[in-house]
Amino acid sequence: MKYVLDNRYLLRSWKDRLGGVVDTKRRDICFLGKESYYLLLKCDGAHEIDVETLPEDLRAFLRDFENKGVIRQAGFLDYIRPEQSHRRYPAAFKASAHWSITGACNLKCRHCFMSAPHAKHGVPTHEQIMDIADQLVECGVFEVDLTGGEPLTREDFLDVVGALSQRGISVGIIFTNGWLVDEKLLDELDTRGQHPEFQLSFDGVGAHDFLRGVPGAVEKTLGALRLLHERGYATSASMCIHRKNRGALRDSVKLLASYGVGDLKVGSMMQLGEWASPDVRDLQLSHQEV
């Protein structure tokens, strides 16, 4: 009997992990024991597998994987594609990465620990970004979250997303202030086969514009949340608590829920970057207040 791996799966291992079966649609990785993985390596459409001579546990493994659609009985000239074959990465296993693609931002957030309003940490060139994308592939990373600064301020943002798609890397989350989220952006993401979650910063009912340093920021954020909900994108939010907005948490949760937000991350300020300036650092909550 000959079996072949379904087209959606890849066989991979890392420096510290053997036997990974990558589901390219769900972006899941299942690790197997040595004997099961070696048997799966023979499911290439070329090797004969004498099922009757296998130990019962391996026969059960084949039946289970066939029932789940991971493998199927191979037809004539039915082989796995070259990119599905086993590949070992020289790096330790890391399925995902959190990638800051710019140190710049279009807002003037008072609490920015990396001073993105002044692009303190600079902006990588297009060539540097493409090189990092290649390195992510070489390390066996299958998903990245994109952040900044404000990642959408990059003129080549969609080129970055396209480069990741071409390399088989999905975008898990885009961290954004929402100012540049519009229909065109979402259409372009669809064109590139990406449907990430969006995490938007929202710093409290009645306090958002104060912390973002730009009038009208709250309307942009809520408008982006509304659009994302209408387009079927999962959304979450992050909120920084300080003395001006600590009483707005309950109302903020209710408002965000009305826009379909599924998760809220709440944290306090770090006295770094912009928040270290004298005009705002005394708004920091004490540990007891937090």
Side-chain angles (χ1 to χ4, degrees), residues 104-265:
C105 185
N106 55 334
L107 298 188
K108 300 177 181 179
C109 302
R110 301 173 190 271
H111 67 309
C112 185
F113 70 92
M114 62 185 296
S115 293
H118 309 296
K120 178 180 178 181
H121 296 285
V123 179
T125 66
H126 180 78
E127 290 73 22
Q128 288 172 325
I129 288 289
M130 293 300 115
D131 180 57
I132 292 172
D134 287 336
Q135 293 181 56
L136 290 168
V137 172
E138 290 303 312
C139 289
V141 172
F142 291 95
E143 181 177 276
V144 298
D145 300 334
L146 298 178
T147 186
E150 170 53 50
L152 299 182
T153 60
R154 286 194 67 100
E155 293 183 358
D156 63 351
F157 177 78
L158 291 171
D159 292 335
V160 175
V161 173
L164 293 172
S165 296
Q166 293 165 10
R167 289 159 173 78
I169 297 176
S170 63
V171 179
I173 305 174
I174 295 176
F175 294 83
T176 176
N177 56 44
W179 196 280
L180 299 174
V181 174
D182 56 19
E183 294 275 8
K184 181 180 179 181
L185 170 70
L186 302 184
D187 289 341
E188 294 289 352
L189 290 175
D190 288 343
T191 298
R192 289 158 179 79
Q194 300 281 6
H195 197 82
E197 175 185 331
F198 280 77
Q199 183 170 121
L200 275 71
S201 301
F202 181 74
D203 293 301
V205 172
H208 185 71
D209 282 11
F210 163 75
L211 207 59
R212 297 291 142 181
V214 176
V218 66
E219 286 83 3
K220 287 286 189 178
T221 297
L222 296 179
L225 287 173
R226 182 185 301 110
L227 173 61
L228 290 164
H229 185 57
E230 291 171 353
R231 291 287 295 264
Y233 281 83
T235 56
S236 57
S238 62
M239 179 176 177
C240 290
I241 296 290
H242 54 89
R243 288 207 167 90
K244 281 184 175 289
N245 69 357
R246 64 179 178 178
L249 184 56
R250 186 180 298 275
D251 288 341
S252 300
V253 167
K254 291 179 179 179
L255 178 64
L256 292 170
S258 73
Y259 283 85
V261 174
D263 182 77
L264 174 64
K265 178 179 69 175

Side-chain angles (χ1 to χ4, degrees), residues 46-63:
H47 285 82
E48 286 280 355
I49 298 176
D50 188 349
V51 178
E52 296 304 318
T53 63
L54 292 174
E56 175 55 33
D57 61 333
L58 291 181
R59 290 203 301 270
F61 166 74
L62 281 181
R63 288 194 301 268

Side-chain angles (χ1 to χ4, degrees), residues 30-42:
C30 172
F31 287 99
L32 304 174
K34 183 182 294 185
E35 291 185 351
S36 298
Y37 190 68
Y38 285 160
L39 182 58
L40 199 60
L41 290 177
K42 295 181 179 179

Side-chain angles (χ1 to χ4, degrees), residues 55-77:
E56 175 55 33
D57 61 333
L58 291 181
R59 290 203 301 270
F61 166 74
L62 281 181
R63 288 194 301 268
D64 181 50
F65 265 43
E66 186 174 8
N67 291 336
K68 291 178 177 177
V70 180
I71 60 174
R72 63 178 183 273
Q73 294 185 22
F76 181 65
L77 296 180

